Amino acid sequence: MCGITGLFSFKNIASRVLLEQMTDTISHRGPNAYGYFESKDKSCILGHRRLSIIDLSEGANQPMQSACKRYIIVFNGEVYNFNEIREDILKYSSVDFSTSSDTEVLVEAFALWGKAFVYKLNGMFAMAIYDTKDEILWLFRDRLGIKPLYYYIDEEIFAFSSELKSLNLLRKENKKFHLDKTALNQYMRLGYIPEPNTIYQEVKKFKAAHLGAVTKDGFSNECYWNIDKKISRNGIQDEVQAKAKLKTLIESSVNYRMISDVPFGTFLSGGIDSSTITAVAQSISDKPVNTFSIGFKEAEFNEAEHAAKVAKHLGTNHHEFMVSYKYAI
C-alpha cells in the first residue's frame, strides 16, 4: 500500500507545513520514498508515501507528472491491466513512457481520455490528479472501495488522506471536529461505519465507485459504476459452462495479481477460498509460491494442519506462525 494526502485552498495559500505533517502521519504506508507537489499559486499541495511494488526505480516515485507537464498524480493501489492500457494509449498517442510503472500509465491515460479513463481500470485504487492548467483537483476511488480515501471540506479548504489520522491534524488549524453519534451507533451495531460516515461529523469517506472534482467554486462528485447494473438476473444454467466460466475468471484474477517486482505470497488457511487461490497461483508460477498461515496453540481454534497439508500437496514454500490467546491479553 501507499499513502496519499492533499490540500486545496479555496481562498488562501495552503499550508505546506500541515501537508508534510499529514504525510508523515501515514509514513508507515510507504517506507520506500516520499514526495510533494505544490502548485504555482500554492493553493494545491499533494503528498505521497510510497511502497514500491511495480518498477522499483526512483523514476517511478510520486507525485508524478505527465509527459505534457499539465497533470500531477498521487496514487495508492494497483491497476492490474495497466499494460493493456499502455498499449491502448500508444494507439492514439506518441508519448514516450520513461518507466514501467502503472502510475505513469494512469496519468497518461487521464491526459488522453480525461475522467473517462476510470472506466478502463481494473484494480484497486484511490488517487488524485491535479490539472495545473484548469486548476482542478480530481479524485477517484475504485469500484468496491478497497483502497481508503477520507476528506474534509469547509468554506476555506478541502483536505484528503488515505487515513483519518492525517485529517485529525486539522484540529491544530482550529478546525472543529464533533463526534457523529449516528456513526457511533452504526459501529456498535455493525462493527464498522458504513460510507460516507466516519466517527467525525466533519470528515467523510469518499464513496466507492465515485469520482470528484475540486475547484475554487467547491466540490462535486458523481458515481461512475453501479454494481446493480452489472449483475444479470439470468445466470448460466449449464453446469459445465458455469464451471468453465468460473475457472477462467479465477485464473484471470489471480494472474493479474501476481504481476509484481517484489516477492509476493498468499495467505493460506486450508479452506476452500484460500486453497483455490493458492492452487491457481502455484499452477501459474514457475517456482514455489510463498504461503503464510497463522496457527493457534489451542487445538479447538487451530487450522494450521489443514493449511500445511494443502501447502505440501501444492509444493509451496510454506511459513507458519503459531500464536496463543495470551497474545491478545
Side-chain angles (χ1 to χ4, degrees), residues 18-37:
L18 174 61
L19 189 281
E20 290 186 4
Q21 290 175 342
M22 290 171 58
T23 309
D24 288 343
T25 300
I26 57 172
S27 60
H28 57 280
R29 298 183 67 90
N32 299 127
Y34 66 92
Y36 307 98
F37 161 80

Side-chain angles (χ1 to χ4, degrees), residues 18 21 25 167-176:
L18 174 61
Q21 290 175 342
T25 300
L167 299 180
N168 203 36
L169 293 174
L170 291 169
R171 291 181 169 188
K172 296 182 179 179
E173 304 296 310
N174 297 318
K175 304 297 184 182
K176 303 298 183 182

Side-chain angles (χ1 to χ4, degrees), residues 93-257:
S93 171
S94 59
V95 61
D96 183 18
F97 286 97
S98 60
T99 75
S100 59
S101 71
D102 50 354
T103 307
E104 185 177 17
V105 171
L106 293 176
V107 73
E108 297 301 342
F110 183 86
L112 182 60
W113 293 300
K115 67 179 183 180
F117 90 112
V118 74
Y119 295 111
K120 297 178 177 290
L121 308 185
N122 176 356
M124 52 180 181
F125 54 84
M127 73 182 89
I129 300 176
Y130 183 66
D131 182 340
T132 61
K133 180 180 179 181
D134 292 338
E135 298 182 336
I136 302 174
L137 176 64
W138 293 93
L139 298 170
F140 302 87
R141 193 174 179 210
D142 65 70
R143 296 172 183 178
L144 299 182
I146 299 172
K147 289 300 180 181
L149 188 61
Y150 299 84
Y151 70 92
Y152 168 94
I153 185 172
D154 62 20
E155 67 280 357
E156 295 180 342
I157 199 168
F158 179 94
F160 70 86
S161 177
S162 296
E163 294 190 20
L164 186 62
K165 63 177 68 174
S166 291
L167 299 180
N168 203 36
L169 293 174
L170 291 169
R171 291 181 169 188
K172 296 182 179 179
E173 304 296 310
N174 297 318
K175 304 297 184 182
K176 303 298 183 182
F177 283 17
H178 300 88
L179 179 69
D180 187 330
K181 294 183 179 180
T182 297
L184 181 60
N185 179 268
Q186 291 173 329
Y187 180 78
M188 297 300 290
R189 290 176 57 234
L190 304 173
Y192 73 101
I193 300 175
E195 62 177 34
N197 295 338
T198 74
I199 198 66
Y200 298 122
Q201 295 178 22
E202 293 78 10
V203 179
K204 300 299 180 183
K205 294 172 184 172
F206 192 86
K207 290 183 179 180
H210 275 64
L211 63 87
V214 185
T215 69
K216 291 293 185 180
D217 296 323
F219 168 64
S220 62
N221 67 93
E222 62 184 272
C223 180
Y224 67 83
W225 185 84
N226 189 325
I227 192 171
D228 292 332
K229 296 180 179 179
K230 300 297 180 179
I231 298 177
S232 173
R233 294 181 179 274
N234 301 316
I236 300 175
Q237 302 301 314
D238 183 83
E239 182 179 355
V240 174
Q241 184 181 357
K243 288 181 177 179
K245 180 67 172 180
L246 178 61
K247 183 175 184 291
T248 298
L249 290 173
I250 293 177
E251 288 177 342
S252 175
S253 295
V254 173
N255 194 31
Y256 267 131
R257 285 156 179 78

Side-chain angles (χ1 to χ4, degrees), residues 80-103:
Y80 306 119
N81 63 333
F82 72 98
N83 284 320
E84 291 96 315
I85 297 174
R86 185 200 303 270
E87 293 176 1
D88 285 343
I89 292 173
L90 293 176
K91 293 177 183 178
Y92 304 98
S93 171
S94 59
V95 61
D96 183 18
F97 286 97
S98 60
T99 75
S100 59
S101 71
D102 50 354
T103 307

